[in-house]
Amino acid sequence: VDEGVLVISIIRDLTERKRAEEELRVQKALLERKVREMDDFVHVVSHDLKEPLRGIEAFSGFLLEDYGTKLDEQGVRYLGFLKQAAVRMKDLIHDLLTLASISKKEPTFQTVELDRVVDRVRQDLEFSIHAKGAEIQVRSPLPTVRCDPTRMGEVFKNLVSNAIKFNRS
């Protein structure tokens, strides 16, 4: 056997891989642009919807206060439904804005006392709780956990809000 230089080589064509990576970069940029457009849209629509809702809520309240005694029971009930619907719509807009802002930021994990989170949710939903005659019962103390307090608050708010909306008892 002759002594000499021995060369072993492996050649791989990376053309397809490079093309796929470039396509992923293009798609990522397009997706990021669409997310920004959607966030902008959410904020514009939310802002535009808030003002008419404030008017509907306020004027239905005024009608109930000023003319409630002149309306029959069904008329008072209809105005109550109108006011509650405006409040629910306002809450939905708030939730939409919160969801849009949550999607923009990374979660910040902290040690959170869940009893405090539930207390804040109670305060936020006080009107709905009172309007439905609901009662929130919590077996305290709830645990202290490591989580994102904003997102955990949204979880509890959605649970309590849905329980109020969809419970007939």
Side-chain angles (χ1 to χ4, degrees):
V1 175
D2 287 86
E3 296 282 327
V5 178
L6 180 64
V7 176
I8 299 175
S9 71
I10 299 174
I11 299 172
R12 234 184 218 163
D13 184 1
L14 298 177
T15 307
E16 185 61 29
R17 180 176 163 189
K18 293 292 184 185
R19 187 201 61 74
E21 288 173 353
E22 180 58 27
E23 180 65 24
L24 279 174
R25 274 192 288 281
V26 168
Q27 291 299 320
K28 181 180 181 235
L30 180 63
L31 183 59
E32 287 171 347
R33 190 185 73 183
K34 292 293 182 188
V35 167
R36 281 192 304 277
E37 288 174 3
M38 184 61 76
D39 284 345
D40 292 345
F41 175 75
V42 165
H43 282 88
V44 167
V45 168
S46 297
H47 176 75
D48 290 348
L49 289 174
K50 279 182 183 178
E51 194 55 41
L53 279 174
R54 276 190 212 107
I56 292 169
E57 181 185 0
F59 283 108
S60 59
F62 296 154
L63 285 170
L64 281 169
E65 288 174 20
D66 297 344
Y67 299 99
T69 57
K70 297 177 183 175
L71 296 171
D72 64 5
E73 187 178 315
Q74 188 174 14
V76 170
R77 207 170 87 238
Y78 285 166
L79 276 176
F81 288 151
L82 181 64
K83 185 172 181 172
Q84 286 176 348
V87 169
R88 271 198 319 271
M89 190 84 158
K90 195 168 63 175
D91 289 343
L92 289 171
I93 290 170
H94 178 267
D95 292 346
L96 185 63
L97 286 170
T98 301
L99 181 63
S101 70
I102 285 174
S103 69
K104 287 182 182 178
K105 68 175 189 167
E106 290 295 316
T108 55
F109 292 98
Q110 302 172 18
T111 302
V112 176
E113 294 178 33
L114 292 181
D115 283 317
R116 286 189 177 186
V117 172
V118 171
D119 287 342
R120 258 185 272 127
V121 167
R122 263 193 194 141
Q123 290 170 356
D124 290 347
L125 297 175
E126 186 176 353
F127 178 79
S128 297
I129 292 168
H130 180 72
K132 279 281 197 160
E135 180 183 335
I136 309 296
Q137 296 179 357
V138 178
R139 290 186 184 175
S140 291
L142 293 174
T144 298
V145 297
R146 188 152 173 75
C147 65
D148 181 303
T150 303
R151 291 180 181 185
M152 187 57 70
E154 286 303 307
V155 167
F156 277 98
K157 186 174 181 182
N158 288 336
L159 286 170
V160 172
S161 180
N162 286 339
I164 292 169
K165 287 178 199 171
F166 302 112
N167 191 341
R168 296 175 200 255
S169 62

